[in-house]
Amino acid sequence: MQFATTPAGLTDFLKRLGAGPAGLRAGRVTVRVPARQAGRDRWSCPADHCWAGMTPATRGLHPAHGITVHLDRPRRPTVFVLSVIRSTHRRRAAPLAAVRPAR
């Protein structure tokens, strides 16, 4: 997800995730888009820009969020969010048993 906001809007968004602007670390880019998707999604984070990022702590089955904020225009920051859902099922599903016809 990508959106432009105001400083107050950024603060509100981060609070909804249980974080705040103080958790953003200058120069940190937490949103990494694979090269094959970067052209389509038009997400890139060149080093010569002002970035800040964080990965707020999550519990249980809540998705993890990588949040990167483009701060070249401080009055209109652009927020990039990558949400990752962790699966609790790490093993393969068992094959289905063969169905036998009724006699």
Side-chain angles (χ1 to χ4, degrees):
M1 170 173 57
Q2 172 186 347
F3 62 95
T5 188
T6 63
L10 175 60
T11 299
D12 185 52
F13 173 74
L14 294 174
K15 282 183 180 179
R16 290 172 187 237
L17 294 175
L24 290 169
R25 300 289 173 243
R28 186 165 180 214
V29 175
T30 59
V31 174
R32 299 282 181 211
V33 178
R36 63 183 165 77
Q37 289 180 323
R40 183 184 70 208
D41 297 336
R42 298 182 185 200
W43 281 21
S44 66
C45 302
D48 60 341
H49 290 267
C50 185
W51 302 98
M54 68 185 320
T55 306
T58 58
R59 295 183 196 192
L61 296 177
H62 295 286
H65 296 92
I67 301 168
T68 298
V69 184
H70 185 219
L71 294 168
D72 282 357
R73 293 176 32 203
R75 292 185 181 168
R76 193 75 174 154
T78 301
V79 181
F80 298 85
V81 182
L82 189 63
S83 186
V84 179
I85 299 172
R86 292 180 222 116
S87 174
T88 58
H89 303 286
R90 299 205 185 270
R91 57 181 198 198
R92 287 183 174 177
L96 295 174
V99 177
R100 297 182 185 192
R103 294 183 192 209

